[in-house]
Amino acid sequence: MNYTLTILRQRLSGKIHENDILEICHATQGTDGNAAKLTLYRLLFDNNKRIAENAAWIFTHFDLHNNEWLYDKQNELINETLHTASNTKRRLLLTLLLRQPFPPENLRTDFLDFCFSQMLSPQTAISIKSLCMKLTYEQCKHFPELRTELRTTLEMMEPDFLPAGVRTSRKNLLKILQKESN
């Protein structure tokens, strides 16, 4: 099927199911699907909340090879993550960003600060908090002083008061940081 903007907007405007996701992924992945992939990408920024969230959800189902197509769009994805009012979309965008490399020469301090603040905020949803913890590590791992700051921050978080998912992410990151410091 040829996925034009109109067709994709219509498909994504309602509830989508696994078969819809698989069909759209199949049509948009690979080099033959680059036009449809670009159309789907544009819908990440749609004013309709459901369309934008569904577009992000489909991108989270891309295989690792096709996910590389998003690498050069990292700054746009970060900007959208920082500004979206939708926690669902933010969680999906953070998931996409976690699948990307964070080279040291492209460190965005605004995104690093965002991730630090979200992992410490009691108002942040558990999934977003956990993703931000992992993304903080991905951004800090190239810089010894930032790794130290992350480790100190994680150690300050009282595990008895953390939800299970956040507690597990904290424990796993502390193990990684411990190995790296030895």
Side-chain angles (χ1 to χ4, degrees):
M1 174 181 271
N2 186 12
Y3 282 103
T4 63
L5 183 63
T6 304
I7 291 170
L8 265 176
R9 281 191 102 256
Q10 182 180 10
R11 289 285 302 271
L12 300 180
S13 64
K15 284 190 176 191
I16 58 173
H17 303 283
E18 184 178 356
N19 287 340
D20 300 310
I21 292 169
L22 294 174
E23 181 185 321
I24 295 170
C25 279
H26 179 73
T28 56
Q29 292 192 59
T31 55
D32 291 343
N34 279 347
K37 200 179 305 178
L38 185 57
T39 301
L40 181 64
Y41 180 75
R42 287 185 193 132
L43 292 175
L44 275 174
F45 306 95
D46 199 271
N47 290 330
N48 181 305
K49 181 179 183 278
R50 175 164 279 178
I51 290 171
E53 290 172 354
N54 282 341
W57 192 27
I58 290 169
F59 274 114
T60 66
H61 287 79
F62 272 29
D63 63 31
L64 291 177
H65 175 72
N66 283 286
N67 188 63
E68 290 177 10
W69 184 85
L70 291 170
Y71 287 5
D72 67 339
K73 294 163 179 45
Q74 187 179 68
N75 281 324
E76 293 169 1
L77 295 172
I78 288 172
N79 290 340
E80 189 65 13
T81 299
L82 296 175
H83 296 103
T84 186
S86 166
N87 275 336
T88 299
K89 184 176 177 183
R90 179 170 287 129
R91 176 181 49 81
L92 294 167
L93 290 171
L94 290 168
T95 301
L96 292 174
L97 288 166
L98 191 56
R99 296 174 76 187
Q100 295 194 358
F102 283 87
E105 62 275 6
N106 293 340
L107 180 68
R108 280 200 40 186
T109 55
D110 60 337
F111 185 56
L112 180 60
D113 290 343
F114 169 83
C115 289
F116 263 114
S117 70
Q118 292 299 299
M119 67 185 246
L120 295 172
S121 172
Q123 291 82 23
T124 301
I126 294 167
S127 58
I128 292 173
K129 190 178 294 233
S130 183
L131 287 163
C132 282
M133 291 171 81
K134 295 171 188 176
L135 282 161
T136 301
Y137 169 75
E138 290 300 320
Q139 295 172 85
C140 291
K141 69 183 179 183
H142 303 290
F143 306 98
E145 64 280 2
L146 290 177
R147 283 196 320 265
T148 301
E149 182 179 346
L150 174 59
R151 184 177 181 168
T152 302
T153 303
L154 291 171
E155 288 171 344
M156 286 184 344
M157 297 170 78
E158 185 58 48
D160 293 340
F161 299 108
L162 297 174
V166 175
R167 190 171 47 244
T168 300
S169 292
R170 175 190 174 272
K171 182 180 87 173
N172 291 340
L173 287 172
L174 283 170
K175 281 182 188 178
I176 292 168
L177 291 165
Q178 179 64 37
K179 281 182 187 177
E180 290 177 351
S181 69
N182 290 337

